[in-house]
Amino acid sequence: MYNGKMKGGETERMKKGFTLIELLVVIAIIGILSAIGLVSLNGAREKARDAQAKSDLGQMRTALTLFADDNGGSFVGVQVAGASNTPDCSGDTNDAGSTAAGND
């Protein structure tokens, strides 16, 4: 017959809860899993941002192509306030009129 005693004369106690170590282990595991999840989420956000940027560039390319088709195949013709119609592409002078090589 069982009298509730274990070897060595100690009485058996009924466990009614979790020990501190068990709780800390569970909290640590939850923390590790959440950290892994956040890293994955940040990677997905970066990929989504890159995909959005590529989509935006594609839309700009389409808009510029349509603009060029409407204007005889040319992108020139947009009048900007204070700018001349013929752009200076020589690169010899800056805004102040001095040479780009140096200001002696």
Side-chain angles (χ1 to χ4, degrees), residues 65-76:
T65 301
L66 291 172
F67 179 84
D69 287 344
D70 289 344
N71 293 292
S74 174
F75 292 114
V76 181

Side-chain angles (χ1 to χ4, degrees), residues 39-88:
V39 169
S40 299
L41 182 63
N42 285 337
R45 284 182 183 169
E46 290 176 6
K47 286 182 182 179
R49 187 174 40 242
D50 292 345
Q52 182 67 43
K54 287 180 182 179
S55 173
D56 290 346
L57 287 173
Q59 290 177 0
M60 289 298 296
R61 181 178 55 236
T62 302
L64 287 172
T65 301
L66 291 172
F67 179 84
D69 287 344
D70 289 344
N71 293 292
S74 174
F75 292 114
V76 181
V78 177
Q79 186 66 31
V80 178
S84 65
N85 283 341
T86 57
D88 182 18

